[in-house]
Amino acid sequence: MTLRPKPEPVQVVKGRRDAMLRRLVDGVPYIGFLGIEFDRRGDELTAVMPFAEGLIGNPLLPALHGGAIAAFLEVTAIIELSWSMLWEEMEAGRIDPTAGDQPFPRLPKTIDFTVDYLRSGLPRDSYARARVNRSGRRYASVHVEAWQDNRSRLFAQATGHFLMPDRDG
C-alpha cells in the first residue's frame, strides 16, 4: 500500500497565498496611493477602497471622483486577472512568492476599459469584485462590479479587455 504525502498545514498554505497577493499588490504603487486593499477568501478577491477626503470629486453632493472610481475598477480587474493567472502556478509550486530573486510575472496591459457610472459614489468605503469572462494566451475580458453598502445596489460597473503578458518570458 502506497502512503499519500501528508498535506501542508493550513497556515503554510495561507501564508504562501497571502505573500503572493501582497507581492502582486505591492508591485503597483498606484494601488497604495489610492489606499486600495484586497480581502482574500480562497481564490476569491474583494477589493476595498476605504473612503478618504482626497477621493471626493464633487464636494457639494459629496460624491467620489469618477477618475478614482474608474481607477478602482481597473485595478480590481488587473489584480483579479493576474491572481487567476498566478493561482495555478503558485499552487503547483512553480512560483515561490517568498523568493525575492525570482522574477515576477508581468501584469496584463489594458486594451480598453469601459465604465458605467450607475449612481453617485457616496463618501464611504467601496467594494469591488471582478469576474474573468475569458482569458487566453493573448487576450482577456474582465467584468467588474462595485458597491458600497449593499452588494445588490451597484454604483459602478466596468468591462475591460487586456493584452496578456507572454508567459514564457
Side-chain angles (χ1 to χ4, degrees), residues 50-130:
F51 173 71
E53 287 293 329
L55 299 174
I56 294 292
N58 184 342
L60 299 177
L61 291 178
L64 296 178
H65 191 282
I69 294 169
F72 177 50
L73 295 171
E74 187 173 9
V75 160
T76 302
I78 289 171
I79 294 298
E80 176 66 36
L81 187 55
S82 299
W83 183 250
S84 66
M85 225 173 43
L86 295 172
W87 181 264
E88 287 181 31
E89 300 290 316
M90 177 183 56
E91 292 301 300
R94 291 187 288 268
I95 295 178
D96 180 8
T98 60
D101 60 338
Q102 190 175 42
F104 202 69
R106 293 188 340 240
L107 296 175
K109 303 290 183 215
T110 305
I111 296 171
D112 64 51
F113 200 75
T114 304
V115 178
D116 298 325
Y117 298 97
L118 306 174
R119 59 182 46 88
S120 293
L122 301 173
R124 53 186 63 133
D125 293 354
S126 302
Y127 307 91
R129 281 201 189 131

